[in-house]
Amino acid sequence: MKPLVFVAQLGWMYIGYALPLVVVISLVYAATRHEELPAIFRHAFGCATWIVALMVVVGLIMAVVSAWL
């Protein structure tokens, strides 16, 4: 099996879509809550961490369920 096909089957190609969306969503959300730039970046980092953690948990649950079926 070719390595590119294997990577595409794992779904890693979607990371290129997810990361910019996570960054933009967390920055916009943080900018609506704070006015100072350091506070915006601090809040955006925390928000992005929560989003990514939730995506990982949901992905793991989906992987377990799909392996079980």
Side-chain angles (χ1 to χ4, degrees):
M1 182 180 297
K2 295 181 182 179
L4 185 60
V5 173
F6 182 69
V7 170
Q9 288 176 348
L10 286 177
W12 292 105
M13 305 302 268
Y14 293 114
I15 296 290
Y17 297 121
L19 288 180
L21 283 174
V22 169
V23 169
V24 169
I25 289 169
S26 61
L27 281 173
V28 169
Y29 182 72
T32 61
R33 304 285 182 207
H34 303 286
E35 292 184 10
E36 298 85 22
L37 200 57
I40 290 173
F41 286 131
R42 188 172 37 254
H43 191 265
F45 180 75
C47 185
T49 304
W50 275 103
I51 292 171
V52 170
L54 181 66
M55 289 171 60
V56 167
V57 168
V58 170
L60 288 174
I61 291 171
M62 290 173 60
V64 167
V65 168
S66 68
W68 182 55
L69 294 175

